[in-house]
């Protein structure tokens, strides 16, 4: 299988050979110039060089002649392409990573959900007996162990455990009556 690449040494047409020669003569200097304009961004610099050479090909500026010097024209085209690229980026909204906006959106939803949940639970706690509210306050809401809650409340650990059990059962029933399924 024989493959001919545009601008390769095996290019058949004189235009293809001229494009290759143009790249060999002016490519390194043009690449260095564009790389400086882009602050070292090699990927975009390569894209700009390719587009510049493509425009040379399309416009027929493949060789220096008396009418036009190709090198200054190529540098001007490359510079204009860099300017166009920057303008296009400035006109577009700032791109965000895929996870960033989703995480922020989920964070907002989580905050709202937590606020709503706390309101519902606060109202449901009002329907519990004072002893059940007190034991839940001393354990879950104060983030204490059963042993520490027993010391604070002045009751045995077994009593704290059973009250927590029955308080949670009652809270679950109250929430179920309100249409919340914990």
């Amino acid at each position: 299988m024989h493959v001919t690449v545009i601008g390769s040494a095996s290019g058949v047409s004189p235009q293809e050979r001229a494009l290759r020669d143009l790249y060999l003569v002016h490519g390194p200097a043009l690449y260095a110039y564009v790389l400086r304009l882009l602050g070292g961004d090699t990927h975009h610099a390569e894209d700009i060089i390719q587009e510049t050479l493509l425009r040379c090909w399309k416009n027929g500026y493949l060789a220096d002649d008396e009418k036009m010097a190709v090198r200054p024209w190529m540098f001007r085209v490359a510079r204009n392409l860099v300017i166009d690229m920057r303008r296009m980026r400035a006109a577009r909204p700032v791109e965000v990573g895929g996870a960033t906006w989703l995480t922020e959106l989920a964070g907002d939803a989580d905050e709202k959900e937590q606020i709503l949940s706390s309101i519902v639970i606060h109202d449901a706690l009002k329907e519990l007996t004072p002893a059940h509210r007190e034991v839940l306050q001393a354990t879950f809401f104060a983030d204490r162990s059963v042993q520490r809650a027993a010391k604070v409340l002045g009751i045995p650990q077994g009593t704290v455990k059973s009250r927590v059990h029955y308080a949670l059962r009652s809270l679950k029933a109250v929430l179920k009556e309100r249409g919340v399924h914990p």
Side-chain angles (χ1 to χ4, degrees), residues 23 27-28 30-51 82 85-86 89:
Y23 176 72
L30 186 61
Y31 180 75
Y33 173 70
V34 171
L35 197 59
R36 269 193 317 272
L37 290 176
L38 293 173
D41 187 348
T42 57
H43 297 290
H44 284 109
E46 291 170 0
D47 290 342
I48 297 293
I49 299 300
Q50 286 178 359
E51 182 63 28
V82 169
M85 183 181 71
R86 286 189 178 150
R89 282 187 187 165

Side-chain angles (χ1 to χ4, degrees), residues 59-78:
N59 293 321
Y61 299 133
L62 298 176
D64 284 326
D65 60 5
E66 297 168 8
K67 296 178 192 169
M68 175 168 176
V70 174
R71 187 178 185 117
W73 183 84
M74 289 175 64
F75 275 69
R76 174 58 69 183
V77 168

Side-chain angles (χ1 to χ4, degrees), residues 7-39:
S8 69
S10 63
V12 180
S13 77
Q15 287 180 329
E16 290 176 0
R17 283 192 299 269
L19 183 61
R20 180 178 181 275
D21 292 343
L22 191 67
Y23 176 72
L24 291 175
V25 172
H26 302 292
L30 186 61
Y31 180 75
Y33 173 70
V34 171
L35 197 59
R36 269 193 317 272
L37 290 176
L38 293 173

Side-chain angles (χ1 to χ4, degrees), residues 88-109:
M88 185 174 60
R89 282 187 187 165
R92 289 176 50 186
V94 178
E95 294 179 7
V96 294
T100 306
W101 70 271
L102 189 58
T103 304
E104 290 173 2
L105 185 63
D108 291 343

Side-chain angles (χ1 to χ4, degrees), residues 12-174:
V12 180
S13 77
Q15 287 180 329
E16 290 176 0
R17 283 192 299 269
L19 183 61
R20 180 178 181 275
D21 292 343
L22 191 67
Y23 176 72
L24 291 175
V25 172
H26 302 292
L30 186 61
Y31 180 75
Y33 173 70
V34 171
L35 197 59
R36 269 193 317 272
L37 290 176
L38 293 173
D41 187 348
T42 57
H43 297 290
H44 284 109
E46 291 170 0
D47 290 342
I48 297 293
I49 299 300
Q50 286 178 359
E51 182 63 28
T52 302
L53 288 171
L54 181 64
R55 290 185 183 192
C56 283
W57 175 273
K58 285 180 180 178
N59 293 321
Y61 299 133
L62 298 176
D64 284 326
D65 60 5
E66 297 168 8
K67 296 178 192 169
M68 175 168 176
V70 174
R71 187 178 185 117
W73 183 84
M74 289 175 64
F75 275 69
R76 174 58 69 183
V77 168
R79 181 178 174 277
N80 290 343
L81 288 169
V82 169
I83 290 169
D84 289 347
M85 183 181 71
R86 286 189 178 150
R87 285 180 181 162
M88 185 174 60
R89 282 187 187 165
R92 289 176 50 186
V94 178
E95 294 179 7
V96 294
T100 306
W101 70 271
L102 189 58
T103 304
E104 290 173 2
L105 185 63
D108 291 343
D110 287 345
E111 285 180 33
K112 292 174 186 172
E113 189 66 34
Q114 286 177 344
I115 291 170
L116 290 173
S117 295
S118 66
I119 292 170
V120 169
I121 290 173
H122 180 67
D123 287 343
L125 285 171
K126 290 178 183 175
E127 295 192 25
L128 298 181
T129 65
H132 287 163
R133 270 196 312 271
E134 181 182 47
V135 76
L136 288 179
Q137 190 66 38
T139 55
F140 287 108
F141 300 117
D143 196 28
R144 292 187 187 118
S145 65
V146 171
Q147 183 181 10
R148 287 185 56 212
K151 285 182 183 176
V152 168
L153 295 173
I155 56 176
Q157 290 181 25
T159 305
V160 171
K161 286 180 185 179
S162 65
R163 282 188 188 170
V164 166
H165 172 76
Y166 288 111
L168 290 176
R169 221 168 106 184
S170 298
L171 183 61
K172 187 176 181 179
V174 169

